[in-house]
């Protein structure tokens, strides 16, 4: 029984290390999102860090419109980045979890 517990703990530590490595890798996965008319483009990492914002000159003339574009486009980009982030981390966690009866967390 102690051997099983030691094996499980080792597997969990290995999985934690893989999760941390995946988080670092996701800093290099870029997500691009544009407004429907292409006047605003944002780039985020899969860890939801903003890397770039491109604004068409015509949007710079209307502050209220620009704010609306930023909110909509950033929210869409964050949603995409979150989906990528969660899928990648869940995949690593799922493959690294030991088989413990009654602990089917990732079905």
């Amino acid at each position: 029984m102690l051997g099983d517990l030691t094996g499980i703990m080792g597997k969990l530590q290995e999985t934690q290390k893989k999760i941390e490595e995946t988080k670092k890798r996701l800093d290099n996965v870029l997500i691009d999102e544009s407004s429907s008319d292409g006047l605003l483009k944002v780039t985020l990492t899969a860890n939801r860090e903003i890397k770039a914002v491109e604004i068409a000159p015509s949007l710079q003339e209307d502050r209220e419109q620009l704010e609306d574009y930023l909110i909509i486009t950033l929210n869409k980009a964050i949603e995409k980045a979150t989906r990528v982030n969660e899928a990648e981390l869940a995949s690593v966690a799922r493959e690294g979890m030991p088989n413990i009866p009654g602990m089917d967390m990732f079905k």
Side-chain angles (χ1 to χ4, degrees):
M1 173 125 173
L2 185 57
D4 290 344
L5 186 56
T6 302
I8 290 171
M9 292 305 292
K11 186 92 166 155
L12 289 174
Q13 288 174 340
E14 182 181 318
T15 299
Q16 183 60 39
K17 181 180 177 191
K18 286 182 181 178
I19 288 172
E20 293 305 317
E21 290 169 355
T22 300
K23 285 180 181 179
K24 287 180 185 173
R25 183 178 56 78
L26 290 174
D27 281 334
N28 297 311
V29 174
L30 299 179
I31 309 294
D32 292 319
E33 184 64 50
S34 297
S35 60
S36 58
D37 56 10
L39 296 177
L40 179 74
K41 179 181 174 189
V42 297
T43 302
L44 281 74
T45 69
N47 282 326
R48 297 170 297 270
E49 180 181 334
I50 298 170
K51 290 295 189 178
V53 177
E54 296 177 28
I55 303 168
S58 62
L59 273 181
Q60 295 176 19
E61 298 166 9
D62 185 344
R63 179 184 170 133
E64 189 173 311
Q65 183 182 19
L66 174 57
E67 290 170 350
D68 291 342
Y69 269 67
L70 282 167
I71 290 167
I72 291 167
T73 307
L74 283 169
N75 281 332
K76 287 183 353 186
I78 290 168
E79 183 179 319
K80 270 187 186 178
T82 298
R83 283 196 310 265
V84 169
N85 183 288
E86 289 175 353
E88 290 289 323
L89 293 176
S91 175
V92 170
R94 191 176 309 111
E95 72 184 41
M97 287 301 290
N99 187 12
I100 303 171
M103 296 285 291
D104 299 328
M105 298 187 312
F106 298 106
K107 279 193 170 181

